[in-house]
Every structure is written in structure tokens, then in C-alpha cells.
Amino acid sequence: MEEMKNESKLFDPSRHKTQLNQLSFGLTRVSYKLMGGDRMTLSYGTDVKIHGSEIHMICHIKHNPGSHISGIARAIKVTRGAVSQIVMKLEKKGLVRKVENPENKRRLDLVLTEKGEKAYIGHQKLHRAFSENLKTIVSGYSQEEMDLVSSFVSDLEGSVDQLIEEVYAEEYFKE
């Protein structure tokens, strides 16, 4: 079977076409990194608490019909086991279900349940609200100022990534 053609990373910046959306997305990524967003739980309009990594898996499944565990693992560069654990949690919460792929009976594709769709819509609502707030803030900015702010966010994210890499290398704490 041919590999999925529209596989993308969970945090794929290419989905955000306008500079405003890229800026909003960049600030979201930075805040998640600084606040440990993947440990935060929200209901997104459902009756269950959903972790950041889970809602982003829901978004990946929504944006990539025909998603399956191995394909997602390759797309986001994590192990199949990591994807499998998140998917198992999503199944238990009634957000995702596995269905037999009609062209490859050995592969199980992932689809959102009605509750999963509701969570996806809730997550999109949250992103729209953030973008609208940001739009209000930057509405008076010139193109030059927007370019500067965008460059700043990119530089800040790179700096945070570097710090995280150093801290996790454990050399950071050695004197």
C-alpha cells in the first residue's frame, strides 16, 4: 500500500499560511514549551480531560484521513509505541476508534468518534480565540513591525529549544 501522502508533524507550521497565523502558532509553541502544555488538560467541550499530546494527536488524525499508528509515528518522528499509548488513551476516552482499512485488511486506520470531532472543534475554537486576541494586539503594527515580531518569536523558540536540549543532556547541571 502506498504511504500516506499528507502525513505531517503534529506541530506543522506549514498549515498556517498567513503571517498572523504563523505568529500565533509560534507563540503557542513557545508558551507550550515554557509552561509544559502537554501536561495541561482541558475538556475541549467533551466530558473527559484531554492532555495536550492527545488533542494534537486528534488534530493529526483529523487532518490526515487514513492515519494509522505506524504512519503517524513516521510523520512525527516518535516510536510506534509512543503513538500507540496515546491512541489507547484516546480510545478509552471514546475520542478515537480503529477501523479496518478497506484496501489493506491488516492495517487499522484511526478515525475520530463524534466526541473526538467535538474535541477537535473545541481545540479549533481555542486557537481562533487566541488568533483573534493576537489580531487585536497587532492590528496597528506596520509590516516592518510584524516582520520584527515574527523574527523575534522564531529566535525565541530557537533559544528555548537550545536550552531544553542543554538541560536534557544533563551536562547543564554539572559544574
Side-chain angles (χ1 to χ4, degrees):
M1 170 87 190
E2 189 178 339
E3 293 300 320
M4 291 189 319
K5 293 181 181 179
N6 288 330
E7 290 180 344
S8 65
K9 295 180 183 179
L10 290 180
F11 292 99
D12 183 358
S14 70
R15 290 196 180 283
H16 308 281
K17 304 298 183 205
T18 68
Q19 189 174 32
L20 179 64
N21 285 344
Q22 290 168 358
L23 178 58
S24 173
F25 185 70
L27 288 172
T28 300
R29 288 191 314 267
V30 169
S31 67
Y32 260 67
K33 290 174 183 180
L34 292 175
M35 298 183 327
D38 280 347
R39 289 184 294 279
M40 180 176 68
T41 61
L42 296 170
S43 68
Y44 299 98
T46 69
D47 61 348
V48 295
K49 292 292 186 179
I50 304 168
H51 291 271
S53 58
E54 294 170 342
I55 195 65
H56 290 110
M57 184 67 67
I58 287 170
C59 291
H60 182 87
I61 293 166
K62 176 71 175 179
H63 294 151
N64 298 280
S67 290
H68 53 92
I69 289 175
S70 294
I72 293 171
R74 278 191 302 277
I76 65 173
K77 296 176 179 49
V78 298
T79 65
R80 286 189 316 263
V83 174
S84 185
Q85 283 183 346
I86 294 172
V87 168
M88 191 171 16
K89 290 175 185 176
L90 293 173
E91 284 182 294
K92 285 181 183 175
K93 293 178 181 183
L95 299 163
V96 169
R97 63 185 171 88
K98 294 176 182 172
V99 297
E100 189 177 272
N101 181 292
E103 298 170 11
N104 180 351
K105 303 278 187 217
R106 295 182 324 167
R107 190 174 90 192
L108 296 175
D109 291 341
L110 302 169
V111 296
L112 300 182
T113 64
E114 189 174 321
K115 189 190 302 188
E117 291 283 348
K118 187 173 185 178
Y120 173 80
I121 290 167
H123 183 253
Q124 294 307 107
K125 179 180 179 181
L126 181 63
H127 275 281
R128 279 191 307 278
F130 185 82
S131 290
E132 286 302 313
N133 288 339
L134 184 59
K135 183 178 180 179
T136 300
I137 291 168
V138 301
S139 63
Y141 287 21
S142 68
Q143 184 61 50
E144 185 176 281
E145 290 169 323
M146 282 295 291
D147 290 344
L148 178 63
V149 170
S150 294
S151 178
F152 167 77
V153 169
S154 178
D155 292 348
L156 180 61
E157 183 180 13
S159 176
V160 169
D161 286 343
Q162 180 63 38
L163 180 59
I164 289 170
E165 201 172 296
E166 290 171 11
V167 168
Y168 278 100
E170 291 293 329
E171 297 298 318
Y172 182 83
F173 297 105
K174 293 184 180 175
E175 293 190 34

